[in-house]
Amino acid sequence: MGGADEFPVGTCPGMCPLGELVQRERQGRLHRLELQEGTRQGDPARVVKEYSRPAAGKELPRPQELRPAPVLLATVRYLLGQVVQQADLPPAEVHAFISDRLRAVCQDATLQRLQGAPCVALLERSLGYLLHAGYQLCQEPPARFDPHLHHTQLQECFSWLRRCYRNSCHDREPAFQALFLLYNLGFPEALHQVLQLPDPVRASPELRTALAVNWAYLERNWARFFRLMQALPYLPICALHRHLGPARHLALLTFSHGFSARNCRCPLTWLARLLAVDSPEEMAELCRHHGLTVLDGAVVFQKTAFRDPGMLVHGLSQLLVDSKRGEAPLLEVIEDACS
């Protein structure tokens, strides 16, 4: 790599270079979220630069085709503040648009070698949205929402953000290092990386809580795990949500061995409260899904009856997640997390 003076500095004043707008309009490749009301023409106030896959031999964009840091941040805020609220379109379609445009934001930042606070501001807000979207779209079929691609984008953002943190101090580092650990719950490499962080970061309330959740999970202390989980705010619980199904599965497996007795019955209301399930009815369905017998509002734990249900579906949770969101717009929730 050459010196810093070899990297272009963006001069594009809008969310999309004019040349791209004209080209995509001519080719009919504008998204309906980018069109003027009732027409097939692009609205310069709504068109956002799309992601372009790098290719061998492809020329680097010119400065007028790259957006400087303030424009990139304004673009992210537009996507999370206005586009995300498009209730008249399928949520998966809106997410696909936002996800692609966030990748284009990161691409512009990469080409300019953005560093420090401007880069951190972009990545923190992008991560906040991606964690939110991963939860909100968890029940969508793979044809509409690909969890593998989403996971890859999230991990790439985490990796880049954490490299930025190594170069300088940032106020929200403890919170986002905690999100990283919660998202990668139970993975030894993630825990190892977090334990190598500087003492002031590792001793922060956010990271201490995330570490406590992680230890409870590793120790299979399910009462403590779900109690800590219920106390988490919205974005941390979104980060942890993908582990909820496997944690409940392991908890039921533990109980099936520890409380295996023909005449021992566990009330569904108590079990639902312990595992943070929305209702006793949902708890009963989860138990049946694992081969356990449900009788008169209680479950009978027997290790011989327990079965692995295979692929676990990550459903929405009113108790654990939705109740934490409140009435604030998503952009406000994310801005609060980043400030």
Side-chain angles (χ1 to χ4, degrees), residues 151-170:
H151 170 74
T152 300
Q153 188 175 8
L154 256 167
Q155 294 287 48
E156 288 174 351
C157 281
F158 269 129
S159 179
W160 190 0
L161 178 62
R162 297 180 73 247
R163 287 199 302 272
C164 291
Y165 286 153
R166 286 199 291 269
N167 296 328
S168 56
C169 296
H170 298 276

Side-chain angles (χ1 to χ4, degrees), residues 155 158-163 166 173 177-178 180-181 184 187-199 201-202 207 211 214:
Q155 294 287 48
F158 269 129
S159 179
W160 190 0
L161 178 62
R162 297 180 73 247
R163 287 199 302 272
R166 286 199 291 269
E173 178 180 358
Q177 295 283 12
F180 167 75
L181 182 60
N184 292 286
F187 287 86
E189 180 59 27
L191 177 60
H192 174 75
Q193 291 178 23
V194 166
L195 291 177
Q196 304 307 308
L197 292 172
D199 289 344
V201 177
R202 203 169 64 248
L207 214 43
L211 283 166
N214 191 79

Side-chain angles (χ1 to χ4, degrees), residues 75 99 120 202 310:
T75 300
S99 175
V120 166
R202 203 169 64 248

Side-chain angles (χ1 to χ4, degrees), residues 219-274:
E219 294 166 357
R220 303 298 189 251
N221 185 340
W222 302 118
R224 178 170 170 75
F225 174 78
F226 284 101
R227 183 171 66 251
L228 290 169
M229 196 175 186
Q230 291 185 64
L232 292 174
Y234 181 68
L235 286 182
I237 201 67
C238 285
L240 195 58
H241 176 260
R242 73 189 187 111
H243 303 286
L244 182 57
R248 286 171 174 163
H249 166 77
L250 290 172
L252 290 177
L253 175 62
T254 302
F255 299 157
S256 295
H257 282 73
F259 302 132
S260 182
R262 186 171 302 173
N263 297 321
C264 179
R265 297 185 180 185
C266 176
L268 287 171
T269 51
W270 176 84
L271 190 60
R273 190 164 58 250
L274 178 69

Side-chain angles (χ1 to χ4, degrees), residues 1-11 17 20 49-55 58-69 72 102-115 119 122 160 163:
M1 292 174 59
D5 57 339
E6 295 184 20
F7 302 126
V9 176
T11 61
E20 180 185 317
K49 183 178 180 180
E50 68 177 0
Y51 176 73
S52 174
R53 293 185 180 277
K58 189 175 181 180
E59 292 185 3
L60 285 175
R62 295 170 295 174
Q64 58 266 36
E65 296 172 330
L66 295 172
R67 297 159 292 180
L72 290 174
L102 288 178
R103 292 183 74 189
V105 165
C106 289
Q107 189 175 52
D108 274 17
T110 299
L111 290 170
Q112 298 174 80
R113 296 299 191 270
L114 285 188
Q115 299 178 16
C119 190
L122 298 175
W160 190 0
R163 287 199 302 272

